[in-house]
């Protein structure tokens, strides 16, 4: 099952620092020489197919960290797939979702 960190805020500098700290914290103790595989992308660019590729088990057993920025921009179908991936006990990845907060479109 995935580990999830939610960063909420619209101040870019503070969000960037919080995301960097979360990535660092999730990277500690992985025992990997090169560190974990970190995939960082805007929510609007995340697709269901892309999500499946990013969270599927690695051939090299590396830790995977998925950073989704502007998570409020993820479409509904992809968001549902992301929730399903987080709840799947067979998938082992770490998710950092950065959300601007508030209600989208208001």
């Amino acid at each position: 099952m995935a580990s999830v960190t939610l960063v909420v805020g619209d101040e870019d500098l503070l969000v960037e620092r919080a995301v960097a700290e979360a990535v660092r914290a999730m990277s500690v103790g992985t025992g990997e020489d090169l560190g974990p595989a970190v995939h960082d992308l805007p929510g609007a660019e995340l697709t269901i197919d892309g999500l499946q590729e990013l969270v599927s088990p690695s051939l090299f057993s590396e830790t995977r960290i998925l950073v989704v920025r502007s998570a409020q921009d993820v479409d509904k179908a992809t968001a549902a797939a992301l929730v399903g991936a987080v709840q799947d006990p067979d998938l082992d990845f770490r998710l950092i979702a950065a959300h601007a907060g508030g209600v989208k479109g208001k």
Side-chain angles (χ1 to χ4, degrees):
M1 183 176 270
S3 144
V4 178
T5 299
L6 177 62
V7 176
V8 179
D10 60 358
E11 181 61 43
D12 291 339
L13 176 64
L14 297 177
V15 169
E16 182 60 37
R17 286 182 182 172
V19 168
E21 176 60 25
V23 169
R24 189 196 61 73
M26 289 179 174
S27 300
V28 172
T30 61
E32 297 168 3
D33 294 336
L34 300 175
V38 179
H39 305 282
D40 190 332
L41 66 156
E45 292 181 14
L46 186 62
T47 64
I48 293 175
D49 292 337
L51 173 64
Q52 290 173 344
E53 181 180 328
L54 293 171
V55 301
S56 62
S58 167
L59 293 174
F60 305 106
S61 299
E62 64 189 355
T63 301
R64 290 178 171 237
I65 298 175
L66 174 59
V67 179
V68 180
R69 296 180 187 270
S70 300
Q72 70 277 0
D73 296 334
V74 174
D75 67 65
K76 288 182 182 182
T78 304
L82 185 57
V83 169
V86 166
Q87 295 174 338
D88 188 335
D90 294 331
L91 295 178
D92 184 22
F93 69 99
R94 286 136 175 98
L95 171 65
I96 302 169
H99 192 289
V103 179
K104 183 177 177 179
K106 296 226 176 198

